[in-house]
Amino acid sequence: MLGPMLGAPGGLPAAGTTLLAVAGNAAQAAAAVRAGAALVELPAAGPAAIAAFRASHPGVLVCAECDQADVVRDPVTALRTGAILVCDGLAAADGAPVPRSRLLVDVPPAMVARAIAAGYAALVDLRDDPAQPPDPGLAAGPIAIAAISAWLGAAVVRTSHPRQVRRALDMAESIRGTRPPARTVRGLA
């Protein structure tokens, strides 16, 4: 998957599906971390905001559009800074200027297996709108897609519904057997 980036400081966790939470500000990002996000997207954050967030949340990766970000969508920035690069699709990943160990390939759920077979870490971007209220009823579709994506082996799922999606990812990984269940109950008479 992400080779040396997995489990390394500044890299994605070694096992399971990482939750990438879209946040409009540092307070939303902090709430997403409390809900289980290991990666937050702060699209409008500058260097000072990223430094402040990192100081209060060590180990949480930041996706942004500046040189201080851990995850970026710009190949030139990724090459210059060593950040993880998000590529839009397999064709873009094949021509990326950074090693495969530093690539996340943004694919739809139906392409997760193909991305993994090609040696890439798959990111499923649920493309939900962070401006929408986080009503669980409105998030039912993205939550189901997140669970299926985890089942298929996606390395990262991007959402603006971190609490609900984290529960779905945990459930799918527990059923799949890649994560121990939080609680087990045996029905013995």
Side-chain angles (χ1 to χ4, degrees):
M1 283 242 210
L2 284 180
M5 295 305 294
L6 289 175
L12 297 174
T17 302
T18 299
L19 176 64
L20 165 54
V22 179
N25 57 47
Q28 288 176 355
V33 170
R34 288 191 301 276
L39 177 57
V40 295
E41 182 173 345
L42 290 163
I50 291 174
F53 182 80
R54 281 194 182 127
S56 61
H57 298 87
V60 176
L61 301 181
V62 177
C63 180
E65 296 181 23
C66 68
D67 286 355
Q68 289 71 26
D70 302 298
V71 179
V72 297
R73 288 188 178 264
D74 177 49
V76 174
T77 302
L79 193 59
R80 185 177 65 247
T81 66
I84 296 170
L85 174 64
V86 177
C87 292
D88 290 326
L90 292 170
D94 288 340
V98 299
R100 284 181 185 230
S101 63
R102 291 196 1 240
L103 287 179
L104 278 174
V105 183
D106 190 344
V107 294
M111 300 273 303
V112 168
R114 188 167 165 203
I116 292 169
Y120 296 115
L123 175 143
V124 174
D125 186 347
L126 300 179
R127 302 212 190 266
D128 45 353
D129 183 2
Q132 286 183 331
D135 177 359
L138 293 175
I143 291 169
I145 294 168
I148 291 167
S149 298
W151 182 266
L152 294 172
V156 177
V157 171
R158 178 185 182 268
T159 183
S160 59
H161 304 284
R163 184 179 53 79
Q164 299 95 326
V165 169
R166 179 74 262 165
R167 290 184 69 198
L169 297 177
D170 290 347
M171 177 210 50
E173 291 168 358
S174 292
I175 293 169
R176 189 174 185 218
T178 58
R179 174 191 180 272
R183 185 178 128 214
T184 57
V185 178
R186 295 181 185 237
L188 301 175

